[in-house]
Amino acid sequence: MTELLANYVNGSWHTGKGQGSTLRDPVLGTELVRVDATGVDLPAAFTYARDVGGAALRALTYAQRAKLLADVVNVLQANRAAYYEISTANSGTVKNDTAVDVDGAIYTVGQYAKWGAALGDVRHLADGAAVSLAKDGVFQSQHVQVSTRGVALFINAFNFPSWGLWEKAAPALLSGVPVIAKPATATAWLTQRMVKDVIDAGVLPAGALSVICGNSAGLMDQLQPMDAVSFTGSAATAAVIRASAAVTRHSVRANIEADSINSALLMPGYAADSEAASLLVREAVREMTVKSGQKCTAIRRILVPQELYDDVAQAIGASLAKVTVGNPRNEGVRMGSLVSREQYENVRQGVARLQQAAQILYDGRAQALVDADGAVAACARPVLFGAKDADAAALVHDVEVFGPVATLLPYRDLAHGLALAHRGQGSLVTSLYGDDAQALAGAALDLAASHGRVHVISPAVAKAHTGHGNVMPQSQHGGPGRAGGGSELGGLRALDFYHRRAAIQAAPEVIQGL
Ligand code: NAP
């Protein structure tokens, strides 16, 4: 039988008492490891993290906690090769896709280490300046931010087992809040291994970081009023989290990142052979194929002026036809597999569903897989849909197929194009392509109303931009409405979620003593 990975809680390793769930290689179908949390004493685990980990972290200053993050970076860097191997085996990713997850995580922790160091040797943060509440200034109000005295529970999705942990853990630990991570079962190995390396290296105080793999049963029941939960995953599970007593009765702070029907929009007035059009095509193909389209930020709808519909369809199709799909261990393969055969089936069903509202413009499914058996491997090939009546095709604005799938949509004029982008009902990100700074700025502000991030690509930034789907820690990640209403990262803004703001009303001498 395969190895059963242990959970780390209460300052020690605990192996589940059940059979557990088997994690597989999604390309070869072979069994890798098992995870199980049966018998883990959850109340004790949460109490230990809250009391022991929380107290130890809060005793440190921001600069000292930033140093802990720098130490975490060193541990992750030292073990990077092992993470690449686990990622290929368990997530079926090619090296470039592993980099998004693994190196993206290391970069993000490094950024918070840097920003945290600049906060200095203080244990709370002032929020604005003191204001007078009395005519002569003898009574004042000063807002402060103090670390929340609870745990941060992360319930994560399968697509970013590394980045999904660290992009949240970095601001939490910097804020002085202990972390309990619950990775998605299908790809939990990488998360568990990273936590193990950091624990083994002894760089964090006891109780600061725990990991519970396997079934999520009972986790939400442990949460108390000062705790926080961050959830990333499907809208259906998000609804369960929101309906939990922890959130409804105890006001546990919840950050939800759910699915998102992101878009890309080519501004009007450009020819099919313009640089703006080719930048859109390049980014659309990249977004469809990076991590086999399993990115919450991936472009799902491609909006173009109606007169360019056929040309853009052809250009995207021609580019997709060059994407080799198969075993990520083969150097000739550009796109690996989905994370599991179950996800493969979900994508197959999603494609069938979109066919009710749109027609297939490019179908990669006829292409042979490289070094992989189609009956076993979870290798999905790209499919480009198109819907000439973008208003009537309601499904394409609503159904997220979590794979290498997108839909091309024509618009009549800019107002129509922007209205179609807003039909994502709140999205993580949209991108704009054009060369007129004034027009781009206007469109960006319009789309900001329903998007967490607006990524504007003009020829001047063709080489410098960070990518539609790449989440940079400097910018907010999250979106309103169906994207979950969450907000993460965005530099030090991320610390807000792990702090409590209070107004201290007192005499000036007391305010100065803060
Ligand atoms: P999921 O099925 O909702 O699972 C997400 C996490 O919730 C997993 O860790 C899962 O554990 C856990 N879970 C399941 N049922 C639960 C319950 N009743 N109580 C508490 N936890 C529970 O989502 P997924 O299929 O893994 O993820 C894919 C989705 O995530 C996509 O729709 C994608 O758009 C979204 N996503 C969003 C973002 C973002 O930042 N907005 C990022 C990545 C992915 P098990 O694995 O053990 O079931």
Side-chain angles (χ1 to χ4, degrees):
M1 220 189 246
T2 54
E3 182 195 350
L4 181 58
L5 300 181
N7 305 284
Y8 189 75
V9 293
N10 259 325
S12 54
W13 292 98
H14 298 258
T15 310
K17 303 282 179 265
Q19 278 298 303
S21 309
T22 301
L23 277 56
R24 288 178 183 276
D25 183 315
V27 179
L28 308 175
T30 48
E31 297 185 356
L32 299 169
V33 291
R34 285 175 301 132
V35 293
D36 183 54
T38 312
V40 169
D41 186 346
L42 293 179
F46 277 69
T47 302
Y48 183 83
R50 216 177 269 124
D51 295 350
V52 179
L57 286 168
R58 286 197 305 276
L60 303 175
T61 65
Y62 290 92
Q64 288 170 327
R65 294 192 293 255
K67 170 70 171 62
L68 299 181
L69 295 184
D71 293 342
V72 168
V73 166
N74 291 336
V75 174
L76 299 180
Q77 283 286 13
N79 294 284
R80 192 168 157 269
Y83 306 149
Y84 268 66
E85 271 177 36
I86 292 173
S87 187
T88 299
N90 193 190
S91 291
T93 44
V94 294
K95 284 201 183 81
N96 281 345
D97 292 353
T98 301
V100 180
D101 191 27
V102 171
D103 298 323
I106 297 173
Y107 171 72
T108 301
V109 181
Q111 286 300 310
Y112 277 95
K114 202 175 80 183
W115 297 329
L119 290 175
D121 280 317
V122 292
R123 289 187 182 78
H124 76 268
L125 301 172
D127 182 343
V131 293
S132 179
L133 298 178
K135 249 189 190 161
D136 46 7
V138 296
F139 193 58
Q140 300 184 345
S141 173
Q142 167 71 58
H143 287 88
V144 293
Q145 294 251 47
V146 297
S147 313
T148 192
R149 295 193 181 180
V151 294
L153 170 65
F154 303 156
I155 301 178
N156 284 346
F158 59 72
N159 55 343
F160 281 106
S162 164
W163 177 83
L165 164 66
W166 294 110
E167 60 107 11
K168 295 177 172 87
L173 294 171
L174 180 57
S175 299
V177 178
V179 166
I180 297 179
K182 146 66 182 129
T185 296
T187 56
W189 190 9
L190 181 54
T191 308
Q192 195 269 359
R193 173 59 189 266
M194 289 178 135
V195 171
K196 181 165 178 358
D197 289 341
V198 170
I199 296 299
D200 288 353
V203 295
L204 292 179
L209 182 61
S210 308
V211 66
I212 300 174
C213 303
N215 200 297
S216 56
L219 283 179
M220 290 298 295
D221 300 335
Q222 308 310 322
L223 294 177
Q224 295 182 1
M226 295 306 141
D227 294 337
V229 58
S230 287
F231 170 79
T232 302
S234 64
T237 314
V240 175
I241 302 288
R242 280 188 217 283
S244 65
V247 176
T248 58
R249 215 170 305 145
H250 304 304
S251 307
V252 165
R253 219 176 243 175
N255 189 76
I256 308 275
E257 302 288 353
D259 57 7
S260 175
I261 317 292
N262 314 294
S263 56
L265 184 147
L266 174 62
M267 297 288 282
Y270 296 94
D273 62 356
S274 63
E275 198 175 350
S278 63
L279 285 169
L280 167 103
V281 168
R282 197 196 305 165
E283 202 63 12
V285 170
R286 196 153 69 124
E287 285 298 312
M288 286 177 74
T289 53
V290 169
K291 285 187 70 76
S292 299
Q294 298 167 108
K295 262 171 44 259
C296 50
T297 50
I299 296 170
R300 305 293 176 198
R301 298 171 301 148
I302 306 157
L303 306 167
V304 294
Q306 58 191 8
E307 58 279 12
L308 262 54
Y309 181 80
D310 291 334
D311 287 329
V312 171
Q314 208 174 26
I316 294 177
S319 195
L320 288 174
K322 292 185 205 143
V323 176
T324 44
V325 185
N327 190 332
R329 295 163 186 88
N330 186 311
E331 292 291 331
V333 166
R334 190 163 132 201
M335 192 167 96
S337 72
L338 301 171
V339 300
S340 64
R341 198 66 192 177
E342 188 188 348
Q343 274 310 108
Y344 178 84
E345 186 52 31
N346 283 343
V347 167
R348 200 187 63 74
Q349 287 173 13
V351 167
R353 204 152 165 231
L354 282 190
Q355 269 181 290
Q356 296 166 16
Q359 67 174 127
I360 292 180
L361 303 179
Y362 171 81
D363 194 345
R365 291 175 298 179
Q367 214 186 62
L369 295 180
V370 180
D371 252 5
D373 176 356
V376 176
C379 291
R381 280 148 290 192
V383 177
L384 178 70
F385 281 96
K388 283 208 162 154
D389 187 346
D391 294 312
L395 267 184
V396 308
H397 303 287
D398 195 40
V399 174
E400 180 198 52
V401 181
F402 211 58
V405 181
T407 305
L408 185 66
L409 300 167
Y411 68 77
R412 292 184 300 278
D413 52 29
L414 183 58
H416 185 215
L418 296 175
L420 289 171
H422 285 299
R423 276 189 68 179
Q425 304 151 69
S427 305
L428 293 171
V429 53
T430 183
S431 50
L432 295 168
Y433 304 77
D435 200 8
D436 176 339
Q438 207 56 40
L440 286 167
L445 281 178
D446 182 283
L447 293 178
S450 65
H451 294 82
R453 182 161 61 86
V454 182
H455 185 73
V456 183
I457 303 183
S458 50
V461 300
K463 290 210 169 69
H465 79 86
T466 48
H468 164 110
N470 280 352
V471 177
M472 303 301 291
Q474 294 83 353
S475 299
Q476 164 181 266
H477 172 60
R482 72 165 290 163
S487 174
E488 294 172 351
L489 300 173
L492 290 174
R493 286 177 190 83
L495 272 55
D496 287 0
F497 187 67
Y498 306 102
H499 281 72
R500 300 283 161 185
R501 178 185 293 117
I504 312 274
Q505 298 177 323
E509 309 83 75
V510 177
I511 301 282
Q512 275 154 27
L514 293 174

